[in-house]
Amino acid sequence: MKKIIYYGLIGVFACVFLISVYFIGDYYLESLSSQSGYDTLADLVEQGKNDIPQETILYVPPVVDEGIVAPEDPTDPTSSMENLNEPTAILPEYSGIYLLNTDLVGWISIPDTQVNYPVMQSPDRPDYYLTRDFDGKDNKNGCIYVREQCNVFRPSDNLTIYGHNMRNGNMFHDLHKFRDKSFWEGHKYFTFDTILEHHTYEIVAVFTTTASVGRGFAYHLFVNAATEEEFDQYVARCKQLALYDTGVTAEYGDKLISLSTCEYSQVNGRLVLVAKRIN
């Protein structure tokens, strides 16, 4: 009987071990496949920068809920997209991959990190890209994507962009490098291009919070400021929670971006990097 129990336990442990190996292997194979696909897209973007476009690809904007995202005066010359309701030429480097998936709204790149990815948005399918790759296939790595209420092209006062914190370093994992002030000191700027325009951002604050309802800072709910005071309050809260002082702030009229990923020092933890558009 003891031998039966002994060998039975060995069998159970062996099964648990093999199942664990299977899932770990599957995770890393999926991650490698996912990253390889994004590397291919990045190569296509670089190629597009050098090639003479054969044709002009137009972005045709969807119907916009003017009550949420439109400025009071859509002809305001301070708006870079005053003719947003008209078809607009897509930048040559993004034309090819836009034709592969018209949910593409931009491309984000942060120097000396693995962050060099397409940015997606699917307003009518919130969090669609949380567990889907660029091709719309199920994938734990997901995509970098914009919160559905935000308007990338107008743009909204604050664009919240999500990405997973993958253990293998993919997606937004490298945002955690900005916990270290010395890394920020050498990497104060990054680019987030829309498919229509090139843009550079300067980092304002890096902070952590929790996504647990009623406990943390609901940074993701700030899209457009109803007043200057509301904008200033958002920036002040970001600065208050900041891991270190960047010496950089933002003023009403600036356009912000909030990059969000998971962190594990607290329940439902989030690491957020807030930056302002400077060009």
Side-chain angles (χ1 to χ4, degrees), residues 204-208 236-246 272:
V204 173
V206 181
F207 65 86
T208 61
R237 183 60 171 152
C238 294
K239 299 290 286 182
Q240 180 186 29
L241 293 172
L243 301 177
Y244 47 82
D245 184 13
T246 64
V272 184

Side-chain angles (χ1 to χ4, degrees), residues 123 169 172:
F172 270 175

Side-chain angles (χ1 to χ4, degrees), residues 265-279:
S265 69
Q266 56 189 313
V267 176
N268 289 328
R270 297 292 185 271
L271 176 79
V272 184
L273 186 156
V274 178
K276 66 178 180 180
R277 200 170 76 182
I278 61 173
N279 68 339

Side-chain angles (χ1 to χ4, degrees), residues 51-242:
D51 289 349
I52 298 175
Q54 300 299 310
E55 60 178 320
T56 299
I57 307 299
L58 297 179
Y59 169 75
V60 180
V63 175
V64 175
D65 184 340
E66 297 293 323
I68 297 177
V69 297
E72 292 182 4
D73 180 6
T75 63
D76 182 352
T78 63
S79 171
S80 61
M81 294 304 300
E82 59 183 21
N83 295 319
L84 184 64
N85 293 326
E86 299 297 327
T88 309
I90 295 174
L91 293 169
E93 58 264 45
Y94 302 122
S95 295
I97 62 173
Y98 177 78
L99 293 177
L100 298 176
N101 188 336
T102 56
D103 284 342
L104 177 75
V105 293
W107 190 280
I108 188 167
S109 182
I110 302 177
D112 295 324
T113 72
Q114 283 194 206
V115 180
N116 188 36
Y117 293 113
V119 179
M120 317 300 287
Q121 188 178 35
S122 182
D124 57 336
R125 295 171 295 177
D127 296 328
Y128 178 79
Y129 286 100
L130 181 69
T131 55
R132 289 179 175 83
D133 63 15
F134 181 85
D135 296 322
K137 298 177 182 177
D138 289 340
N139 191 299
K140 296 181 183 68
N141 292 261
C143 276
I144 306 299
Y145 69 98
V146 183
R147 183 173 172 81
E148 64 274 11
Q149 288 92 346
C150 299
N151 189 314
V152 172
F153 303 108
R154 185 70 64 182
S156 301
D157 290 334
N158 179 54
L159 303 174
T160 298
I161 301 182
Y162 300 114
H164 285 305
N165 174 14
M166 303 302 292
R167 289 192 298 270
N168 57 20
N170 290 353
M171 313 316 292
F172 270 175
H173 175 82
D174 278 352
L175 290 188
H176 285 268
K177 290 185 175 183
F178 287 95
R179 286 177 173 269
D180 186 345
K181 186 176 181 180
S182 64
F183 185 81
W184 162 78
E185 287 172 342
H187 304 83
K188 297 181 180 181
Y189 307 95
F190 64 90
T191 59
F192 170 57
D193 295 342
T194 71
I195 56 174
L196 308 179
E197 299 178 333
H198 298 291
H199 292 295
T200 300
Y201 285 78
E202 181 178 16
I203 295 171
V204 173
V206 181
F207 65 86
T208 61
T209 187
T210 175
S212 297
V213 178
R215 293 183 54 198
F217 175 36
Y219 60 91
H220 59 292
L221 298 182
F222 177 63
V223 179
N224 283 307
T227 64
E228 182 174 351
E229 180 182 12
E230 184 180 341
F231 184 93
D232 291 343
Q233 287 175 347
Y234 179 79
V235 174
R237 183 60 171 152
C238 294
K239 299 290 286 182
Q240 180 186 29
L241 293 172

